[in-house]
Structures are given as C-alpha cells and as structure tokens.
C-alpha cells in the first residue's frame, strides 16, 4: 500500500481504442492494492489487475487532461485521460511500482484468499497427480522405469524430482549424459504411446562443440531406441533453425552428430528463438492496434510480423512428432537449446495430437503440468512476473495456446473445452493469482512453499467447468489428429489479441446458444421421464382405485402443462435476453463507419443527433 | 442450330478425378447438347455423373502417347480432370465441350429443356413480384404508389414493369426524369424503413453532362420524396464513385446531382470497386487459393494483394452508412453510381439486410434477391458469363453478386443467430447465378426475360430451393428472430476469407461439416423433446 498515493480520481475519461472520433466514457478511477478499477457513469466496472499491466505510459498533456495509456499482458489496452496532471503522475508512479514487484512474496497469489481451509487447498494441489499420469500412459513397464537420480535435484535443478528413463539406462549413464547436456537436462520420457510402444523424449542440446563426444549420452540414446521394440531407429529432432544450432557449436554446444550415435535420424525443424518470437508479437500488436486500419495494412502487417509463420512452424514440428510415432512407430527425442521453450511446445502439442485424453479439460491441465510446469518452462521469466530482464520475456506459452486454438478450429468436435478455457488459462499465467505458474522450475516452487502459501488454479477452473465445455465434443471420434497446415488454415486469433475490444467480435455466440440448447434438452428429457413415471404411478393408483381428491390436489401444482410452460418461458427468455445483451454493444456508433456520422451532420448542425448515449438500442 | 453439329464424338473411355476427397470414377464419357456424362459401366455403381456444360469456365487439353487429359475448371471453382483413352477422342471431346459451353443463345440453353420431376412449369414464378413488396409498403405509408409507367419497358429497359414511386409524382414527370438518367433508371423506391418513415432509393447517374444540365421533373421527384417523409427529413445521395470519377463522368454525358438543384439533399462519395478491377480481384484470389504449397508469407501477401477483403469491407461499410443514415439520422437515402445496376444494388440490398428483420428470413432473403438484383436489372448474363478461371478477355464480367453473397456471409458470421438461411443457400445462389438448369438468373433484365418467355418455359430456382428436402442444407438451425438492426464490425480483424466458397473444392473441411450436422441434431432433438411434452400432458388422465 505504500506505493499508493492517490486512491480515487474523479472525472476520468476512458477513450475508445478504435474510434477515430475520440469517443469516451467518463467515470471514476480507483486504485486498490491489487487492482485498478474504473467505474463509468453507467456503473460498468473495468477491473485491471496490477500484475496484468505490461507497460504504463504517460503521454503529453492535452487540453482535456493528461493521457495515460496502459497495456496489459492479456492484450487489453486502455487509454485514460486524467483531468489533473498531478493525479495522473501519482497514478502513473503507483502503477509502475505495483505492476513490477521485486519479490515473489509480494505477488497477488500470496495474499489471494478464496476462503478455503488448508485441507481444501491441499486437495486442490493434489488434483493433478503426475505419477498417476505416467501410470495412465503405461509406465513404469518392462522398458521404462522411474529414476531416482534427480530425487534431490542433484543432477538437474530445472527438472522435476521424478523422471522416467529406459530401464537399461543405469545411473552412471544418466549422470554422464547429464554432464554432456546444457543445464544438465539429459534425455527423459515426456510421453509414452502405449499401443505403439514408442516414446517422446526431451532434453537440452548436447555440449558437442565441433567434435566432443560422450559415450554415456550415446548409450542413453541407444537405450531409448532399444526401449521401443517396434523400431530400431529413432528420430532426434532439433527444433531450432539449422543456422542457430551451428552457431551454438562455436560456444561448445550444438547438436548430435549422426555418425556418433547409432540408429538415429537427425532432423531440424526450424522454430525461431524467444527473441524473434517476442518481437514478432510486438509487431503484430503494433499493427492491430492501429486506428483506422485498412484491410491491406492488416494483412501486410500480419505477414511482416511473421507471427502466423511461427505458429505454423510449431505446429509442423508437432505433426512431425505425431507422424513419426503413428506412421513409423519410431521414438522421438526433442530438444532445442535449453529444452524448456520450443521443446515444451513441441512435446506437449505432439502429445495432444496423439492422445485424446489431453483434449479433455482435466487432461489439458495434466499436459500443462507435465510438459510445461514440471519440466521447467520458466513461467516467471517468460511472463515477466517479477521486475526482471525484459529480454527473458517471450510469448512461448501463448503460442502453444494459439496452436491448440487452431486445432480446435480445425477439429470442432475433438476438444472437450472451448476457446474460453484457453483464454482463461492465458489470463492466469500472467495474473499471479494462483501458485501454479509462479517460479521457473519445481525446485524454486518448493522453496517458495507455494503449496502452503498459495492456491492452485485447476480446481477453480474445474468448478467452473460448465463455462468451458465445448457443446459439440465427441470423445471417441478422433484418435490421433492429423491437422492440415496449409497456409490458409491459419487465421488471426481475434478473440485472443482483441479479447477486450468487444466491438470487433461477433455479436452473437453460437457456442453459448448450443450449450443452452443442450442443457435444455437434458432438462426436458428429464422432465419427460419424471412425468412419465408419474403418469405410470397414477395409472397404477387409478387401477388400484386409490385415486382420491386429495391426491389430485397434491399432484396438480406439478401438472405437466404448468411445468412445460415454465420450461418454455425460461427457454424463450434465455436466448432473447442473451441476444439483447450482446447486440446492445452492436450499434453503428461502435463501428468505424459511424465516423461518417460527422459527415451526415456537417452541413446542418441543427440536426446533430448522434451521440453514443442516444444510439443505444432497445427493442 | 443443332447441337449435334457441335458434337464431334459420341463417346470415349475415361477416368475422372474430382479432387483430393472424392474417389476417381471410371467409365464411358459422353457429350450431349447440354451435359457431359460419365456412365460408370454396368458392374460399378449405377450413378451417372453429370456436368452441365454451361458451368465449364475453362478447358485445357494435353495429349501424351495414345491418351489425353482434359482439365475442366468450372464456374463454381471446381477443378476436374478427365483422363481419356485415345488422342483423337480427347481432342474431339475438348472441342465439343469448348463449343457447347460457350453458346450464347439464351433460348436454346438448358433451362428451356430441363423438366425436373415433381415440379410444374410456372410454379414459384409468382413468389416475389414487385407488387407484393408494394403491398407491404402500402400498409406502412400512403406516400408511395405503384406505377406501371414502364409497362412496355419503353421508359427503362432494365427496370421491371412496375416500380414504386412517390405518390405526388405523375407518370409524365417520371418519363422526363427517366430521360435525364442513364439507361432511363430514374429514382425508385428500394426500401421503406417503417420505424423512421424514411426511404432508400436507387437510380443511375443524372445526365448532367459538361453543360450541367438540369431536369425539373427529376428535381421534383426527389423533392417529393422528402415531402412524403416526416417533416424536416433530409436526404443524402450516396454516390458509389469518388468525387473525381463522378466529375469526370460529366465529360461523357453523365455526372452527379448539383447541390443547388436539389435542396435538402447532400452528396456523399463512397467509391466502390466495380467492373474489371473487381473481376481481377476475384481471379487473383482464386489463383491464390489454388496454391496449396505456398508459404505463409506468400499466402498472406497474395490475400492482401488481391484486395478482395478490402472490397468486402468497403461494400459493407457503405451499406452501413446508408442504413445508419436512415435509422439513426432519419434521412432519406438515394444510392447510385454510374449505371446503377452493380454497386448500387450491392449497397441497397445490404442496407436492407442490416435494417430489415424480414429480409433475413428464408423467404424474405429470396424476395430481396429477386427484387433488388434480378428484377432491379443486374445484368446477370453479362456479369456472370465467366467466372475466375476463364482465359477469355473479360468484357462485362464482374463478381458483384458474389461480393454481395460474401458480405451476407460476413453478416451471418457476426450474427450467427439472426439469419434464417445458412451458408448452403449462399453457395447455391453463387452456383446458380453462374450456371443453372433453372431460369431464375437467365438474361440481363426483366424485358429480356419476357422476350424469351423465361417464366413460362423454364423452372424457377426458388421452387427447387423451397422443397422440404433441401431445407437442411439451406437453413440455419440456430435462427432466432432478431427484431433489431444488425450492425456488423467492418474492421479487418473482424472480416474473414469465405473458406466455404473459395476453398470449397480445394480444401474440404470434413470435421466442420460433421460438427454442423451435430448442431442440427441438437436442434432437432430439442424440437422433438419439446414436441413430446404436450403429448404427455394429453395422455394425462382426466379426473
């Protein structure tokens, strides 16, 4: 609280981001310990979590006040005009402090209290059990076993304690191999395909330089390939562009030499590094934040940002993995440089393509816990949770979510969850409201005592499951997904990058409607059953001759006619109010052609009538 | 003329490749007067494969050894490949298809021979006469009348016999106004917006010429429009050309309304692409969609370069401007470009779809297409003579109607519950506008259709589309009546390429079709469960 100098500023204007006619809402701005809150004159609230703030900018003073532009990590951009410069300055300084914390303990998760007791909290953390997950995959088994080599994080600090390795790989081999791998991240199991007996393994780049070899590492790779009885060779996939991998050789790192390893097939897949991805997203956001963007500028901006090209590259790599396993029965070892960014993307997406379990709500959580959280994707650095090196920030996980979204678009029935689920997860990797994504690896999380001091996100999402269900989901239909990555299958993800720009969205939601219909169907079917059983019961009673006036009275209030009419009422109400609410936002004043309204009124000022308030629609 | 003169060979053995999804078909190929047939032989499936020759847009032949290959690119963007035994046979068949697919005579075209089972000639031709729309207008206002001044098409060859005009203006004045407008297209009512009492009009450009001529009756007509509306109503003339182009048009006898001559009316210029540039945009988009191997960057730059989505955006925002003028400003709107048969209709029809809930129903949309495109004299025969594949030098071709359908599709995507019809109807209209066994889209105007006796000698497309068995393909299962205006977002982020049309044959999307089927199932389930409840209550024993 010591950073907050002003808690309330009145007469603040919130500008519409895309309007060229400087339309605005006036209201009051509040600053709390955790949020920035704007309440407009119609009592509509806009909450912005301090941790979501990516940047705050104070622009040059104008006649109407001092402009303050806040960009958020969830791609919300708000543009306030604060009447007094002093207030603006205070808020600006407070937000700078509040949005960049120096210590984990100051993050929201450590103060967030959803009113649960300790045992509930613990149960929440136990919801996702990775040992259980490996068991589901079918390990340990005759070829794979749990290794205790990293029990105390001695071999690799950024790996979890529990790792699965080929049964024939002895501890000295593991230790030897880990010394030959960047950050000690030696090859371990990420996903085991039970039917094919093939595995996806992951690691970091070898410290091969120009000629170095490591017999233990070679043995370990051989052990992985032997653990797959169906195929003698395995793929080693380096997810970096070849040029980058070669450059690493000069620094004593690099990639596997096919001659030194028996039976490997080496492959580059060319995904760019975190710095390229960061600036690509930057460019994308610059383009689509432009006021009065033309179609041509949008597409040329989309092209020059390279964003969709990068998404396609990640997807292609995942497909390569899935194909190697499904078509060739071959195991795959994946690495990039350190094996926690591109490797996480590719391994998790590959598993998602192969295993329908990961396409369920629970399974998707497990997947994130396994390939991202436990294997040490540096969430805190990549999301900039703390005031740190801005060069470490990169939208690697966002790209993963976008790839999944593209899959949900291509396979509308293959996923149990919908887009809202992905958006919600994206919201929380940055919110620091839950402990799951804090820290950069498991060891760090244990040191922070996150399980005792914070809550897990997953049980909260599961409680809200209804919101995230895909009404068209069909569980059995797709075993392995075979997406088509032809260029025109990749589209700009408007609902992510313009999540808060409501005027750009479709005005009616199909998903909700179908969901409601499904719900109503179920309810109606249940009603029918109830009624039928009641009729049966009463018929029996009639036959028994026990039908009395009293009984009739008690039954009557629930007569089907009454009940049906109630149902119908609800039904007709639901979609209509829904439509009304959503369409309310759909007024010509919200859209850019409204700016021609100025033209309309230029000649005869007496006729000026279009004001945002007036333009609200009612039935 | 006999078709047989153009058919050089009766038959040949061939194999047909129909794209990535469908299995190849083998059998006897046969060219008839209107069709290409492939009969798969007795042992295989008895289905006859049939292609209307009129729908062939371009034909390419190659011979190698003793066989040949013909690639047919169709107007609905399908690409077919025929592998034919025998060099002579290949060349003969190719020449026959070339000759037969480019016949220009209307009265020997297939619709005049097509006699589908279960339909009677003359059915559905009286679904949507202008008189019917006038009945609706007459219920809402008395300021307008139905004029039969064009009864014999002498005033305006591209208008229907009956048009809706201000009650205060006599037929003589209309005749003078017609002489002052290109092609005789004087201002007529396109849509009456009952809630605001304002109207949407369309016409062609005034023939002011370099001398800035005026026409008192034309001015009177527009004055009467404002007088018929609520007091104080202003008017806007939405010119679909740039101010520059409109000015240039004066040199060739055209022009635009002078401000002083039409008090109360103000001109707005909203240039829309038309004619050849629009056709080229279409061609380039289809070319880009045909390349499956291109990189992401190349694809995006071609999508940008073809400018198609920019045209979609312009058309939609101009329509929104017109709609907004009526609904929000309470102003009357006159839309015209040069001839008033292309972008003008695009704007007036889209504006109605935005404002009028009735035009978003199945029947209402068909009426809109009939009234605002077919009867309003959009020259379908000229505009849709060739599609995107033709090598012929384009003369009058332009995909204006396709652009309209694309805009409607975009509206449907943004308001998925507000249109009673689905993508299926839009695809069908696209297909039939370019090549059809039905008479609905034949000819360029009502006058021509009367001369050819289209109504009595061909079947109407509407009668087929309204058959119960077609409904599942054409309807939107999620439709709920939405009484409000639907204002779309026209930001580039909100517009999408219409994959269902442009990639329909290249990249069929099976999973989304299955998903759509599932939506239908949920909806029909719902109807069933709802329907079964009253039955239960009916079986309720009476006390």
């Amino acid at each position: 609280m010591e950073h907050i100098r002003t808690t309330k500023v009145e007469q603040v204007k919130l500008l519409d981001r895309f309007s060229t006619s400087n339309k605005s809402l006036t209201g009051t701005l509040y600053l709390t310990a955790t949020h920035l809150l704007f309440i407009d004159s119609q009592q509509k609230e806009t909450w912005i979590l301090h941790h979501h703030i990516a940047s705050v900018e104070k622009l040059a003073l104008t006649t109407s006040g001092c402009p303050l532009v806040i960009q958020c990590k969830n791609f919300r951009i708000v543009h306030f005009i604060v009447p007094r410069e002093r207030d603006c300055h205070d808020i600006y300084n407070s937000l700078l402090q509040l949005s960049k914390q120096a210590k984990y303990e100051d993050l929201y998760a450590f103060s967030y209290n959803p009113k649960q007791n300790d045992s509930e909290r613990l149960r929440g953390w136990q919801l996702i059990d990775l040992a259980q997950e490996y068991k589901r995959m079918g390990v340990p088994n005759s070829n794979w076993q749990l290794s205790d080599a990293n029990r105390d994080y001695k071999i690799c600090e950024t790996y979890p304690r529990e790792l699965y390795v080929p049964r024939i790989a002895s501890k000295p081999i593991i230790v030897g191999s880990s010394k030959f791998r960047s950050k000690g991240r030696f090859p371990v199991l990420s996903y085991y395909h039970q039917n094919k007996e093939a595995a996806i393994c992951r690691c970091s780049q070898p410290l091969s330089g120009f000629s170095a070899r490591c017999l233990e590492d070679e043995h370990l790779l051989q052990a992985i390939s032997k653990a797959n009885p169906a195929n003698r060779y395995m793929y080693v996939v380096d997810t970096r562009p070849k040029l980058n991998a070669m450059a690493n050789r000069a620094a004593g790192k690099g990639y596997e030499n096919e001659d030194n390893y028996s039976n490997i097939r080496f492959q580059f897949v060319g995904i760019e590094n975190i710095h390229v991805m960061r600036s690509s997203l930057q460019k994308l956001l610059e383009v689509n934040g432009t006021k009065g963007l033309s179609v041509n500028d949008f597409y040329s901006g989309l092209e020059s940002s390279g964003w969709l090209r990068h998404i396609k590259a990640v997807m292609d790599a995942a497909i390569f993995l899935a194909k190697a396993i499904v078509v060739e029965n071959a195991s795959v070892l994946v690495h990039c440089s350190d094996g926690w960014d591109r490797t996480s993307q590719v391994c998790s997406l590959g598993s998602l393509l192969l295993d329908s379990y990961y396409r369920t709500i629970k399974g998707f959580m497990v997947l994130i816990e396994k390939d991202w959280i436990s294997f040490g994707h540096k969430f805190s650095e990549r999301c900039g949770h703390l005031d740190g090196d801005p060069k470490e920030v990169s939208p690697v996980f966002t790209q993963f979510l976008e790839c999944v979204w593209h899959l949900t678009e291509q396979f509308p029935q293959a996923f149990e969850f919908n887009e809202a689920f992905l958006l919600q997860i994206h919201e929380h990797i940055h919110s620091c409201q839950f402990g799951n994504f804090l820290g950069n690896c498991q060891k760090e999380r244990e040191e922070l005592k996150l399980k005792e001091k914070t809550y897990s996100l997953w049980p909260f999402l599961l409680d809200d499951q209804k919101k995230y269900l895909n009404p068209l989901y069909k569980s059995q239909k797709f075993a392995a997904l075979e997406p088509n990555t032809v260029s025109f299958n990749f589209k700009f993800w408007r609902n992510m990058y313009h999540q808060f720009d409501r005027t750009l969205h479709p005005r009616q939601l199909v998903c909700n409607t179908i969901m409601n219909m499904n719900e109503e169907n179920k309810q109606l079917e249940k009603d029918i059953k109830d009624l039928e059983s009641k009729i049966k019961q009463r018929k029996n009673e009639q036959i028994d001759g026990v039908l009395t006036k009293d009984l009739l009275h008690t039954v009557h209030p629930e007569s089907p006619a009454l009940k049906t009419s109630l149902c119908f009422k609800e039904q007709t109400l639901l979609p209509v109010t829904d439509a009304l609410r959503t369409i309310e936002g759909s007024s010509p004043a919200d859209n850019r052609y409204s700016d021609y309204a100025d033209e309309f009124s230029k000649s005869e000022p007496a006729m000026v009538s279009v004001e945002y308030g007036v333009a609200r629609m009612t039935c | 003329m006999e078709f047989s003169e153009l058919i050089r060979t009766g038959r040949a053995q061939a194999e047909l490749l129909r794209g990535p999804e469908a299995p190849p078909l083998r059998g006897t190929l046969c060219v008839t007067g209107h069709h290409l047939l492939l009969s798969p032989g007795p042992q295989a499936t008895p289905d006859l494969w049939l292609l209307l020759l009129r729908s062939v847009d371009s034909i390419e032949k190659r011979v190698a050894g003793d066989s040949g290959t013909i690639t047919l690119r169709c107007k609905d963007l399908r690409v077919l490949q025929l592998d034919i035994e025998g060099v002579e046979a290949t060349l003969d068949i190719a020449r026959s298809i070339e000759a037969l697919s480019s016949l220009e005579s209307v009265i020997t075209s297939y619709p005049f021979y097509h006699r589908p089972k279960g339909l009677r000639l003359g059915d559905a031709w009286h679904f949507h006469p202008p008189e019917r729309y006038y009945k609706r207008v007459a219920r809402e206002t008395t300021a307008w009348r139905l004029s039969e001044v064009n009864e014999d098409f002498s005033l305006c060859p591209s208008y229907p016999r009956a048009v809706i005009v201000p009650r205060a203006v006599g037929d003589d004045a209309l005749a003078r106004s017609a002489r002052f407008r290109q092609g005789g297209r004087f201002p007529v009512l396109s849509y009456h917006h009952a809630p605001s009492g304002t109207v949407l009009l369309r016409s062609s450009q005034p023939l002011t010429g370099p001398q800035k001529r005026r026409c008192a009756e034309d001015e009177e007509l527009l004055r009467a429009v404002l007088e018929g509306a609520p007091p104080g109503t202003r008017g806007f003339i939405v010119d679909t050309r740039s101010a520059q182009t409109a000015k240039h048009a004066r040199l060739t006898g055209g022009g635009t309304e002078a401000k002083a001559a039409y008090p109360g009316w103000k001109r707005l210029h909203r240039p829309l692409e038309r004619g050849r540039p629009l056709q080229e945009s279409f061609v380039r988009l289809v070319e880009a969609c045909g390349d499956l191997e291109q990189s992401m960057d190349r694809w995006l730059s071609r999508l940008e370069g073809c400018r198609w989505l920019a045209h979609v955006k312009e058309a939609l925002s101009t329509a929104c401007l017109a709609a907004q003028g009526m609904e929000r400003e309470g102003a009357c709107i006159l839309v015209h470009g040069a001839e008033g048969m292309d972008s003008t209709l695009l704007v007036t029809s889209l504006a109605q779809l935005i404002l009028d809930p009735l035009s978003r129903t199945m029947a209402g949309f068909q009426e809109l297409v009939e009234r605002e495109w077919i009867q309003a004299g959009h020259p379908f025969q000229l505009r849709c003579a060739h599609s995107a594949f033709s090598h012929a030098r384009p003369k009058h071709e332009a995909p204006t109607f396709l652009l309209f359908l694309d805009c409607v599709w975009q509206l449907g995507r943004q308001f998925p519950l507000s249109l009673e019809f689905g993508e299926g109807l839009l695809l069908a209209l696209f297909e039939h506008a370019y090549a059809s066994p039905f008479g609905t889209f034949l000819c360029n105007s009502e006058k021509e259709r009367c001369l050819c006796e289209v109504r009595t000698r061909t079947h109407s497309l509407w009668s087929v589309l309204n058959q119960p068995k077609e409904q599942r393909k054409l309807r939107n299962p999620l439709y709920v009546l939405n009484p409000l205006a639907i204002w779309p977002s026209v930001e580039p982020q909100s517009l999408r390429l219409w994959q269902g049309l442009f990639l329909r044959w290249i990249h069929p999307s099976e999973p989304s079709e299955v998903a759509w089927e599932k939506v239908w199932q949920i909806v029909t389930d719902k109807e069933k469960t709802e329907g079964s409840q009253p039955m239960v209550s009916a079986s309720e024993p009476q006390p």
Side-chain angles (χ1 to χ4, degrees), chain A residues 146-305:
Chain A
L146 178 66
S147 158
D148 60 358
N150 201 38
R151 187 130 297 262
D152 307 310
Y153 298 116
K154 281 214 179 101
I155 298 184
C156 176
E157 292 201 333
T158 58
Y159 267 173
R161 289 175 191 272
E162 290 177 351
L163 293 167
Y164 292 82
V165 294
R167 202 169 274 281
I168 55 169
S170 63
K171 195 162 175 187
I173 285 183
I174 291 172
V175 174
S177 164
S178 80
K179 290 193 174 127
F180 185 64
R181 293 278 170 180
S182 173
K183 308 278 195 309
R185 295 171 68 95
F186 61 97
V188 295
L189 182 75
S190 159
Y191 176 72
Y192 179 73
H193 195 288
Q194 217 164 351
N195 287 344
K196 301 275 179 189
E197 298 182 84
I200 297 177
C201 296
R202 53 184 293 169
C203 62
S204 60
Q205 64 183 336
L207 305 176
S208 52
F210 289 102
S211 58
R213 291 182 62 167
C214 169
L215 284 180
E216 289 92 336
D217 194 63
E218 289 162 23
H219 278 305
L220 185 53
L221 259 63
Q222 201 164 30
I224 291 173
S225 113
K226 276 191 182 149
N228 177 356
N231 202 323
R232 295 256 37 102
Y233 63 88
M234 70 184 278
Y235 282 102
V236 175
V237 174
D238 189 329
T239 56
R240 298 169 294 183
K242 189 172 182 185
L243 208 64
N244 301 20
M246 304 234 300
N248 264 301
R249 279 165 61 175
K253 300 165 190 170
Y255 53 92
E256 290 81 356
N257 184 341
E258 255 179 311
D259 300 336
N260 298 342
Y261 294 83
S262 53
N263 298 325
I264 69 161
R265 296 188 180 179
F266 188 84
Q267 179 84 30
F268 287 110
V269 293
I271 303 173
E272 298 289 348
N273 65 25
I274 57 165
H275 311 294
V276 175
M277 299 307 190
R278 181 179 53 244
S279 63
S280 169
L281 180 62
Q282 198 77 41
K283 274 187 215 147
L284 181 76
L285 295 178
E286 266 164 38
V287 170
N288 67 29
T290 316
K291 270 186 193 178
L293 184 64
S294 76
V295 173
N296 282 27
D297 289 344
F298 174 65
Y299 280 102
S300 66
L302 200 57
E303 181 201 339
S304 68
S305 78

Side-chain angles (χ1 to χ4, degrees), chain A residues 504 507 520-521 564 571 610, chain B residues 329 414 494 526 530 533:
Chain A
L504 301 187
R507 309 312 158 90
E520 286 160 17
N521 265 351
T564 334
Q571 271 159 23
V610 172
Chain B
E329 303 284 325
Q414 295 193 25
S494 307
K526 182 161 173 267
E530 279 173 3
Q533 287 226 335

Side-chain angles (χ1 to χ4, degrees), chain B residues 47-160:
Chain B
D47 296 341
L48 202 66
W49 178 84
L50 203 70
L51 178 76
L52 192 61
L53 286 173
R54 182 89 196 133
S55 68
V56 173
D57 202 28
S58 87
I59 170 165
E60 211 177 278
K61 51 187 185 283
R62 259 196 334 264
V63 288
D66 56 357
S67 68
T69 301
I70 296 180
T71 307
L72 298 175
R73 289 175 214 276
C74 302
K75 289 174 183 166
D76 61 1
L77 310 183
R78 227 177 338 168
V79 178
L80 303 164
Q81 191 187 318
L82 285 162
D83 294 328
I84 299 168
E85 287 172 24
V87 173
E88 239 357 79
T90 308
L91 295 178
D92 281 348
I93 285 176
R95 269 182 230 127
S96 314
I97 297 174
E98 252 162 19
L100 289 163
S101 64
S102 55
L103 288 180
E104 285 188 358
S105 147
V106 173
I107 49 164
T108 57
S109 68
Y110 184 60
F112 289 86
Y113 299 88
H114 184 49
R115 295 292 174 261
K117 266 187 223 145
L119 296 179
R120 277 185 324 180
L121 273 179
D123 276 358
W125 278 113
H126 301 291
F127 268 7
H128 319 285
E131 291 81 357
R132 195 175 128 129
Y133 182 65
Y134 175 68
K135 273 189 196 142
R136 184 178 153 195
V137 175
R139 277 199 301 275
E140 295 164 350
T141 170
T142 53
W144 295 81
R145 68 184 180 95
L146 193 69
S147 164
E148 296 193 341
V149 66
N150 200 37
E151 176 67 44
D152 53 359
F153 304 110
S154 58
L155 220 50
C156 172
S158 61
Y159 271 170

